[in-house]
Amino acid sequence: MSFSLIPDYSFPDICKVTPEFLKEKGIRLLLLDLDNTMAPYGTVIPTREIAEWAETVRQSGIETFILTNNNGSERVEALSKALDMGYIMGAKKPFVSGINRALDKLGFRHEETALAGDQIFTDVLAANCAGITSIIVRPIKIVNPLLNVRYWLEAPFRALCPNKM
Ligand SMILES: [Mg+2]
């Protein structure tokens, strides 16, 4: 566990995170941030590309599970159902409680788990603090100035990522 804001791996988008890569790193459970990682804000249907990617990962024997800070939203339910994944809402990343709850629920160990997300200050920090592998992806869509500022603040930590894939 560490309080580092530097991701272990960085990918241009979630679909580039292949089952081969995950298996090589010993990952058996992939926790997924929802908003702007799996779907842009506001959408309730995943793109075909992301749905197919999720299916490929699952068929390879790797478990997938959504861990979102989004709270009490029908959209989370709709997207999780469409992607055929379990989920935890209100995960409170960067706190590690949501990650630990998911691991307990699904029966995986920290060393065989990764979290992929689009935000340094929530997803990456939570994963690093929990002692699981952290994967950063670029946000699908930056729709407002606030997201733009955050992305700019995150830039140094993205740049420091030792493994840009
Ligand atoms: Mg996100």
Side-chain angles (χ1 to χ4, degrees), residues 33-37 41 93 117-119 122-123 150:
D33 170 56
L34 188 65
D35 291 316
N36 247 349
T37 298
Y41 287 99
K93 297 169 284 185
D118 70 300
Q119 286 191 48
T122 54
D123 302 310
R150 194 186 63 209

Side-chain angles (χ1 to χ4, degrees), residues 16-153:
K16 303 287 189 304
V17 182
T18 63
E20 293 73 30
F21 164 82
L22 294 167
K23 287 192 167 170
E24 192 195 306
K25 305 298 170 198
I27 301 301
R28 295 177 56 231
L29 168 63
L30 179 61
L31 300 174
L32 291 157
D33 170 56
L34 188 65
D35 291 316
N36 247 349
T37 298
M38 296 293 285
Y41 287 99
T43 60
V44 289
I45 300 169
T47 64
R48 190 169 156 183
E49 191 192 8
I50 288 195
E52 285 178 359
W53 168 83
E55 188 55 29
T56 305
V57 173
R58 251 199 316 275
Q59 278 183 4
S60 79
I62 294 165
E63 180 92 23
T64 55
F65 190 84
I66 290 168
L67 193 73
T68 174
N69 281 358
N70 201 319
N71 219 336
S73 140
E74 281 171 21
R75 183 173 151 264
V76 174
E77 244 170 273
L79 276 164
S80 305
K81 199 170 169 196
L83 290 161
D84 198 17
M85 289 182 197
Y87 63 88
I88 287 179
M89 280 196 257
K92 297 191 176 71
K93 297 169 284 185
F95 296 105
V96 300
S97 51
I99 292 176
N100 289 333
R101 255 169 67 207
L103 266 62
D104 283 348
K105 184 181 160 94
L106 301 167
F108 288 90
R109 288 172 292 127
H110 289 79
E111 54 271 32
E112 58 191 6
T113 303
L115 168 64
D118 70 300
Q119 286 191 48
I120 294 283
F121 303 114
T122 54
D123 302 310
V124 169
L125 185 57
N128 289 347
C129 286
I132 64 174
T133 300
S134 54
I135 298 172
I136 189 87
V137 299
R138 280 207 288 265
I140 295 175
K141 209 174 183 181
I142 294 180
V143 287
N144 66 47
L146 205 66
L147 291 185
N148 221 336
V149 169
R150 194 186 63 209
Y151 190 69
W152 179 78
L153 290 170

